[in-house]
Amino acid sequence: MSLAQSFTIGLNEVARTIAGGSPAPSYQGINLGRGDRRGAVLDGGSDAYDDAGYFADDLPALGLTLSRRTDTLASLNVFRWIDTFTNTLAVPIHVSLTMESNLGSDSLTRSILNDPLRTVTYEDRPDSTDPILGMMHGNNPVAHALVIPERNAGFLSRRLLLDLQPNQSITFMFADVLVRDLSDRSGDPALALSSTAFFIADPALLATGLSPTEVNRIANWTIPSPGATTAVLVPLVWLTARRRSAAPGHR
């Protein structure tokens, strides 16, 4: 069996300025919410996005600080966001925040799957070169309770429900896997579905580069400690070689 020719996500797609400039493979620092593109992913590669992972809310006005880390996990074709919100007020905060992703497929965006833990979308055009997006929102009861995925035309939102006491923090991790075979797109939907299912069942690879302390702070994922998982951890290119069956009616 020959390996499929999988495209590779962009390596310098993470914005490092408020206006969305100076892209690099990663960003670590603050984000102010509305109008602040720091830590957002720009194109992603092959028009995957028109900016992804930015907040529509004015966070300081709500009494929140956001410390964020965005990473390019190139060997997995994954972009990862880790966002920590802290209540700076002397009173509790109960608020709904919106993390937006403007998809490159625009009004031609269609959903293959949209459930509480993952959303898989594609561009409904026969000659599309946009990758299929597998967006992962978490894998545990916190994800079910506090993260609400919503799609509106070419936008995908993750709505976060925050209930924080004074000085309390919460950390979320989100990850998107991008799938595009360069020679035969017929199996892309099946691969996107199997890849997101794989990562949700065993998210250890999504924690690449994180310390045990950082992993333990993530609220919406349950990630086994090293050695605790029994699954075989394999890169996306290996999964690509396995997929043969196609979801009907899509190229």
Side-chain angles (χ1 to χ4, degrees), residues 187-239:
D188 286 359
L191 178 59
L193 290 169
S194 62
S195 297
T196 52
F198 172 84
F199 286 127
I200 285 173
D202 190 343
L205 281 178
L206 296 181
T208 297
L210 302 180
S211 70
T213 299
E214 290 172 317
V215 168
N216 289 336
R217 288 178 182 149
I218 296 169
N220 59 319
W221 289 85
T222 300
I223 302 175
S225 58
T229 178
T230 58
V232 178
L233 301 181
V234 292
L236 181 63
V237 68
W238 188 89
L239 288 171

Side-chain angles (χ1 to χ4, degrees), residues 29-242:
I30 65 169
N31 183 286
L32 301 176
R34 182 182 301 160
D36 190 341
R37 288 300 195 265
R38 284 176 289 188
V41 177
L42 304 179
D43 177 90
S46 195
D47 193 35
Y49 308 113
D50 297 324
D51 283 2
Y54 57 92
F55 282 90
D57 312 276
D58 185 339
L59 301 178
L62 295 172
L64 293 168
T65 62
L66 169 56
S67 174
R68 86 175 330 189
R69 171 176 173 170
T70 308
D71 294 298
T72 303
L73 306 181
S75 66
L76 306 177
N77 267 16
V78 165
F79 291 106
R80 178 184 68 193
W81 294 266
I82 299 174
D83 288 332
T84 300
F85 299 92
T86 301
N87 178 2
T88 65
L89 302 181
V91 296
I93 290 177
H94 312 282
V95 68
S96 170
L97 305 178
T98 303
M99 180 181 179
E100 295 274 15
S101 290
N102 184 355
L103 310 185
S105 43
D106 300 321
S107 62
L108 295 177
T109 301
R110 303 290 183 267
S111 293
I112 299 173
L113 177 71
N114 190 16
D115 72 22
L117 299 183
R118 56 185 175 141
T119 303
V120 180
T121 70
Y122 69 96
E123 182 179 42
D124 189 14
R125 185 163 59 89
D127 59 348
S128 173
T129 59
D130 289 19
I132 291 183
L133 301 179
M135 305 177 177
M136 296 166 282
H137 317 306
N139 73 344
N140 63 19
V142 174
H144 279 281
L146 301 186
V147 183
I148 303 173
E150 299 174 331
R151 191 175 72 80
N152 180 17
F155 288 82
L156 190 286
S157 303
R158 292 171 168 116
R159 188 152 57 90
L160 313 183
L161 306 180
L162 269 57
D163 187 351
L164 297 175
Q165 297 301 309
N167 298 314
Q168 185 181 8
S169 298
I170 188 169
T171 298
F172 294 94
M173 180 177 79
F174 300 110
D176 290 0
V177 60
L178 279 57
V179 174
R180 179 189 168 209
D181 190 295
L182 296 177
S183 59
D184 178 7
R185 306 236 31 208
S186 63
D188 286 359
L191 178 59
L193 290 169
S194 62
S195 297
T196 52
F198 172 84
F199 286 127
I200 285 173
D202 190 343
L205 281 178
L206 296 181
T208 297
L210 302 180
S211 70
T213 299
E214 290 172 317
V215 168
N216 289 336
R217 288 178 182 149
I218 296 169
N220 59 319
W221 289 85
T222 300
I223 302 175
S225 58
T229 178
T230 58
V232 178
L233 301 181
V234 292
L236 181 63
V237 68
W238 188 89
L239 288 171
T240 303
R242 297 189 60 195

